[in-house]
Amino acid sequence: MKTILALTDFSDNSSNAANSAVLLAGKLHANVLLYHNYETIAVASTFSGGPYVEEEFFLATTETKKKLDHQLNTLQYIADGIDKTERKPTLKGLSGDGNLKDNLKQIIDENQIVFITMGAPSGTSIEHLFFGSETNKIIQHTQRPVLVVPANTSVNNIKKIIFATTFDEADITPLHFLIGLGKIFKFSIEVVHVNQPVKDKKQQIEKEEAFQKHIAKFGYDHISFKNLGGREVADRLHRHCAEEKPDLLAVVHHQHSFFRRYFEHSTTKEALSDLKLPLFIFPTII
């Protein structure tokens, strides 16, 4: 069964993202797997001559189970309120000890994970969202889209998405994925490209035309394309989102894309903090 993986650290922000996961699951006829990752001390220590690692591990797992059960009860209340025209998702809680990247790989291998949701604390930079440096590992190593939901925002009523592209082949599958969601949620997609100086303008135009021709085969009427002028990609994309006020920004995180430059740009922290936009980050391979 299709499943949305909702990552939680039991904060209000991650709880908000998990709530959105449940509502999205209702429309997608998917289930929700709530997951918390924790780390216990790896080296045995002693206290008054006796080891206490096992006791600390027991306390950590017991406390985690209590918090998972509590959050699942809240999510179940939301699931029970889903409209009868949709499907009420089945909810499951899971926790893991150790390396988050390895644990996620196992979860994805064993479940039909459609995408991952995670919270984004307000006022922090994107590379430190939720799990800090672990977030970067998730984005770089998972083969599932990651939906990052900032504090006090919702993805339950999506009307418009902006998809940033370089017209690369790697952008086609993520855009197809979004079109599939669009047919369910009835949102429009604006495909945006920030023009950068190129040596061969004719080749760039041909690349864009070939990309649009391919996307037309997907048969989605609510999609448009726009080229934006501007030397600074991050700043121009930021300004465009501020003007158009989309409900979500979608990007592909491949090695040499403009998004990678946007991700690492010195103004990115301000841009994402100001926009408070949910961010759908796609790997190059889904």
Side-chain angles (χ1 to χ4, degrees):
M1 183 67 186
K2 291 188 298 184
T3 301
I4 298 174
L5 176 60
L7 304 182
T8 183
D9 62 355
F10 307 120
S11 66
D12 290 342
N13 296 321
S14 64
S15 295
N16 175 55
N19 295 347
S20 292
V22 172
L23 294 173
L24 291 172
K27 294 182 182 294
L28 295 173
H29 292 189
N31 294 327
V32 174
L33 174 57
L34 184 68
Y35 179 73
H36 173 72
N37 199 81
Y38 60 94
E39 291 189 14
T40 54
I41 54 177
V43 181
S45 302
T46 57
F47 179 74
S48 300
Y52 65 89
V53 173
E54 288 186 8
E55 180 180 355
E56 181 166 330
F57 180 80
F58 174 77
L59 291 173
T61 53
T62 301
E63 184 64 21
T64 294
K65 186 179 185 307
K66 287 181 181 179
K67 290 181 177 179
L68 269 177
D69 289 343
H70 177 74
Q71 189 167 355
L72 282 171
N73 287 335
T74 301
L75 295 179
Q76 189 62 57
Y77 178 80
I78 294 173
D80 290 341
I82 288 177
D83 192 278
K84 292 181 179 179
T85 59
E86 301 172 6
R87 177 187 174 276
K88 184 166 71 173
T90 298
L91 310 180
K92 180 181 176 182
L94 184 67
S95 63
D97 175 35
N99 185 278
L100 175 62
K101 185 185 73 173
D102 293 340
N103 289 345
L104 284 182
K105 183 179 184 306
Q106 182 177 349
I107 291 171
I108 291 171
D109 288 344
E110 295 176 354
N111 298 273
Q112 297 181 44
I113 303 300
V114 183
F115 59 84
I116 301 168
T117 64
M118 58 194 298
S122 177
T124 58
S125 60
I126 189 168
E127 68 268 26
H128 292 293
L129 295 177
F130 197 66
F131 287 113
S133 61
E134 293 295 326
T135 303
N136 223 348
K137 294 178 184 178
I138 296 169
I139 293 169
Q140 290 180 4
H141 297 287
T142 185
Q143 292 186 350
R144 296 295 182 275
V146 179
L147 177 59
V148 183
V149 185
N152 302 317
T153 63
S154 173
V155 292
N156 304 328
N157 189 29
I158 305 172
K159 298 298 183 184
K160 180 177 181 178
I161 285 181
I162 287 181
F163 178 78
T165 185
T166 53
F167 301 121
D168 288 331
E169 186 178 347
D171 294 355
I172 292 175
T173 299
L175 190 49
H176 191 198
F177 181 95
L178 286 176
I179 287 173
L181 293 182
K183 291 178 178 179
I184 297 172
F185 291 93
K186 311 299 181 185
F187 56 67
S188 64
I189 303 173
E190 183 181 69
V191 182
V192 170
H193 175 252
V194 179
N195 289 323
Q196 295 283 280
V198 292
K199 294 181 180 179
D200 193 336
K201 192 171 183 179
K202 181 182 177 182
Q203 184 182 48
Q204 178 64 23
I205 292 173
E206 291 175 350
K207 182 180 179 181
E208 179 179 347
E209 290 176 346
F211 186 89
Q212 292 192 27
K213 186 177 180 180
H214 193 103
I215 298 304
K217 296 177 182 177
F218 298 147
Y220 193 60
D221 295 331
H222 306 292
I223 189 167
S224 60
F225 293 82
K226 179 172 286 189
N227 279 299
L228 303 176
R231 291 184 174 275
E232 293 293 336
V233 173
D235 178 67
R236 189 65 187 93
L237 187 58
H238 175 202
R239 285 191 289 116
H240 184 68
C241 288
E243 292 165 2
E244 294 297 320
K245 295 180 172 56
D247 300 297
L248 192 149
L249 172 63
V251 293
V252 180
H253 186 263
H254 43 99
Q255 187 71 21
H256 301 293
S257 70
F258 80 84
F259 174 64
R260 183 172 178 83
R261 297 195 295 274
Y262 177 58
F263 185 82
E264 296 172 343
H265 197 280
S266 60
T267 64
T268 298
K269 299 174 184 179
E270 275 186 48
L272 292 177
S273 177
D274 290 345
L275 286 173
K276 298 291 192 299
L277 263 183
L279 188 66
F280 223 150
I281 304 172
F282 288 86
T284 52
I285 301 175
I286 300 177

